[in-house]
Amino acid sequence: MIDRRVSAAVMALVISLASVVAPAQAKGIGNNDTGLSSGSVSSGGDGSVTMSVEVESVSAAADGSGSGGATVSSQSVTAAVHPVCWYQEGSTGAEVAEWFDSGEADEDTRNLNFDGKSVEEQKLDYPDYRLHADDTEGRWYMPTCSSKYMANDDERSIGDIAEAYYAENSPVWVPAGESAPVPEVDGATLAQAAWDAVTIPTATISYNPMVGDVGATIVGMDTWVWA
């Protein structure tokens, strides 16, 4: 008979990891107070999200009773997740304004937004770009997507993902010294990354009846086994 407390603790840990990332731009997370973990999420500076998680686990007693002899262990782990789409640092305010107003944009094949828009369409995404025409330190951050960050089992098309992301996210002006937009990563992905970084204590197998120091069982009698 397998002790279900181990499975219950594992499930509680996964749920509580999800609750940890909720305040940090994680999508699709519900609140859950299990007290098994705590942590924080921050931008990795390269479009990634880095999390630090404190995890506590409790192992059942060697006799499977769960009372007396239980082992409590804790660990600190970090994990990084890079979203499929994020904001990437772009040109300064002066560079964007010069590119638009100098006439070079009409002859240049570049697309500042990486979304196939014409120059005039791009200008609509920078309605106040002239306000930053003299700023050589602040920067525009551009919506960006890459298929290399997609999960192997993700059946979506990167083209469809990018099109939807660009439609909802325009370039963002970030003055010098201020933080770049924090990437949004769904809670399930963050929880999975944290879970992958956690080392699960090796289970201890025991059984009853156990005869003497040799650990023998009794022929013809039911034996109860647990982890």
Side-chain angles (χ1 to χ4, degrees):
M1 176 179 181
I2 302 299
D3 193 321
R4 298 297 182 186
R5 278 177 297 240
V6 175
S7 297
V10 167
M11 290 303 295
L13 175 58
V14 172
I15 294 173
S16 62
L17 285 174
S19 70
V20 166
V21 302
Q25 296 292 344
K27 288 184 173 180
I29 294 299
N31 292 325
N32 187 58
D33 231 347
T34 63
L36 287 176
S37 67
S38 62
S40 61
V41 180
S42 61
S43 173
D46 61 349
S48 66
V49 167
T50 300
M51 73 191 87
S52 298
V53 182
E54 298 286 337
V55 181
E56 180 180 284
S57 59
V58 180
S59 300
D63 62 0
S65 66
S67 60
T71 301
V72 179
S73 61
S74 62
Q75 57 183 296
S76 300
V77 300
T78 59
V81 176
H82 203 299
V84 177
C85 295
W86 71 101
Y87 272 96
Q88 177 173 288
E89 182 181 291
S91 303
T92 66
E95 289 171 339
V96 169
E98 181 181 3
W99 189 74
F100 276 143
D101 296 339
S102 65
E104 294 179 6
D106 296 328
E107 302 176 2
D108 200 334
T109 58
R110 284 185 305 161
N111 184 332
L112 294 180
N113 297 359
F114 309 108
D115 55 9
K117 290 183 178 180
S118 67
V119 172
E120 292 306 314
E121 289 174 323
Q122 290 182 66
K123 285 184 178 180
L124 297 177
D125 291 332
Y126 299 80
D128 56 350
Y129 75 89
R130 287 193 175 89
L131 296 177
H132 311 294
D134 297 326
D135 195 324
T136 59
E137 296 183 356
R139 289 187 175 270
W140 289 95
Y141 277 73
M142 323 304 299
T144 309
C145 298
S146 175
S147 60
K148 71 178 182 179
Y149 298 116
M150 294 178 64
N152 293 332
D153 58 352
D154 195 332
E155 298 180 352
R156 298 175 299 170
S157 162
I158 184 60
D160 293 339
I161 295 174
E163 182 179 1
Y165 188 76
Y166 296 149
E168 297 180 0
N169 297 273
S170 298
V172 174
W173 170 254
V174 179
E178 294 191 11
S179 300
V182 178
E184 291 184 334
V185 182
D186 66 276
T189 299
L190 286 174
Q192 183 63 53
W195 176 250
D196 291 342
V198 171
T199 300
I200 305 301
T202 302
T204 300
I205 307 298
S206 190
Y207 50 90
N208 191 31
M210 182 184 296
V211 180
D213 295 336
V214 296
T217 58
I218 300 176
V219 177
M221 180 175 289
D222 290 342
T223 300
W224 298 86
V225 181
W226 61 85

